[in-house]
Every structure is written in structure tokens, then in C-alpha cells.
Amino acid sequence: PKYDNLLTYLRVIRQAPGAIALEKKWTRGVPDNYSSAAEYLREHAGYSFPILKPITPPRVVRAITTVLSDNLNKEFTKVGLKTKMLSGYIFTKLVSNASLTTEVKNMAVHFAPELDNKAYDVLAEIAQMAIPTSTVACKEVVTSFQQQLGLTQKEAAALLLTIAAAPSPSSVNEAVIETSLTHLEPPSIVEIIVWLSVLQLLHRLSSYYTLVKAY
């Protein structure tokens, strides 16, 4: 790929005022310190996210609080908050982040209280499975998820997409794409990918602050 040149930078700078204005509009009224943000999140998302407690930069607190509040708003979701909890637990197992695993389970108490230890054991196994390479195999996996966890086809397809998209690099292939498009509308696919990005952010933050605390 070509290196960025001055023209590229100028094109980006042109968008900066609009981006700043949009961010201010998006985060208006959201607290910028954890003690207040915890109450805001408890009110708007049902959970206070203790994992954010070490974060002190006001702009960062405000931005993450907004992201979490929007992503866990039952009025906005297309895939459902239960699906996000299932997807989130699988992600935490894929990245081996114990603190984030606990955080997702605590969230699930509010958003998917029907999940129990048996379901979490199944999800942990799902996280370790190989990604199917054929559409037929993907459809069989979706059916298996339905039977093991009592899911709809849409919920099961979201988990297939999760185990393919969550690793870095991702393992999304043509079969996963075709199966996902069969059972998930485009907004739901976007929502799952955005949710995984949010979880990746929390994973990196928690890992960083764990190291800071250790040293």
C-alpha cells in the first residue's frame, strides 16, 4: 500500500470539526467520572460496569459510558440483549480474560437471567470449536447451537458469526457469511460486529490496567 501523503492528511483534517461536533452531541449529558458514570449506566443499561473504575481521563470515561449505554439499550438492539450476553461470554473465553468473563456473567444477571452454569459450560465449549468451511457444516452448527441452548435460528447464527469474527485475525469465510446472511438481517450482523469491537476495547483496557496495577 502507498504511504499517506499530505493530501491524505488534509482530507482527514477537513472532517475533524464535524467529527468533534458529532461526538459532543452524541455524549451530551453523559458523566465523565466513574462514580457518576456507574449510576448513569445502572439507570440506562442496568449494570454499573466496575471494570471501568480504574479509568480516569474524563473524555474516555464519557465515550465508553455512551458506547455501553447505547449497545445495551433494549430499544435499539436488533439481535437482542440475550444474544449479546451469549456472544460476549464466548468472546471472553476466546481471549482468556477472566475479569471480563466475570463482568459478562454479572451483566447477564440483568439481561439474560435464564443463563445458568450448564449454559456457560456449553458456551465455553463452543468458543473452542473449529470454524466450519462449508455452508452445509455451518447450517449443522447452527442447528446444534439451537438444540444445545434452546435458541432461535437467528440467535444461533449470531453465535456462529461470533466464533468466526471474534479471534484476531478473524476466521470469517464464505460459508459463515452465507449462513449469517440467511438468518441475520444486515443491521443485526453490524450490531454483532460492533459489540465484539466494544468487548475488544474492554478486553484491552482491563488487560492494561491489570498490568499497571501489577507494576
Side-chain angles (χ1 to χ4, degrees):
K2 295 180 180 179
Y3 288 103
D4 292 338
N5 55 35
L6 179 59
L7 182 59
T8 302
Y9 291 120
L10 290 175
R11 286 173 176 168
V12 172
I13 291 173
R14 284 177 55 197
Q15 308 303 321
I20 292 171
L22 182 61
E23 179 187 354
K24 287 183 177 180
K25 178 181 179 182
W26 183 41
T27 61
R28 186 175 295 125
V30 179
D32 61 4
N33 63 85
Y34 176 70
S35 60
S36 298
E39 290 300 319
Y40 182 92
L41 286 167
R42 190 177 290 110
E43 178 183 351
H44 291 82
Y47 184 63
S48 62
F49 289 91
I51 198 171
L52 304 181
K53 192 173 183 178
I55 304 173
T56 55
R59 187 177 178 185
V60 176
V61 173
R62 187 185 297 114
I64 296 176
T65 300
T66 303
V67 167
L68 290 170
S69 177
D70 286 353
N71 271 269
L72 294 171
N73 189 320
K74 63 181 180 181
E75 302 297 329
F76 295 164
T77 182
K78 298 294 184 183
V79 297
L81 297 183
K82 174 186 174 182
T83 303
K84 286 190 171 184
M85 296 303 102
L86 297 169
S87 175
Y89 190 82
I90 289 173
F91 175 85
T92 69
K93 289 301 179 180
L94 282 166
V95 298
S96 302
N97 187 323
S99 62
L100 191 55
T101 297
T102 300
E103 197 80 343
V104 170
K105 291 180 75 172
N106 289 339
M107 276 190 271
V109 171
H110 302 277
F111 303 125
E114 67 272 28
L115 296 183
D116 55 18
N117 289 334
K118 182 179 179 181
Y120 287 127
D121 288 343
V122 172
L123 291 170
E125 292 178 5
I126 287 174
Q128 305 305 318
M129 69 174 291
I131 308 302
T133 56
S134 73
T135 303
V136 172
C138 282
K139 290 180 178 178
E140 291 175 348
V141 166
V142 168
T143 300
S144 174
F145 290 173
Q146 285 184 263
Q147 294 171 345
Q148 292 183 81
L149 293 164
L151 306 179
T152 65
Q153 284 187 327
K154 180 176 179 177
E155 291 168 337
L159 298 194
L160 172 66
L161 179 59
T162 295
I163 61 174
S168 182
S170 73
S171 301
V172 176
N173 55 39
E174 292 294 331
V176 171
I177 293 172
E178 183 178 344
T179 306
S180 298
L181 288 172
T182 299
H183 301 296
L184 294 163
E185 64 274 21
S188 294
I189 293 174
V190 171
E191 187 176 350
I192 286 293
I193 299 303
V194 169
W195 178 234
L196 291 174
S197 299
V198 173
L199 292 168
Q200 182 66 245
L201 171 64
L202 295 178
H203 166 56
R204 290 174 181 272
L205 281 171
S206 65
S207 298
Y208 170 76
Y209 283 108
T210 298
L211 289 173
V212 169
K213 185 177 181 180
Y215 289 97

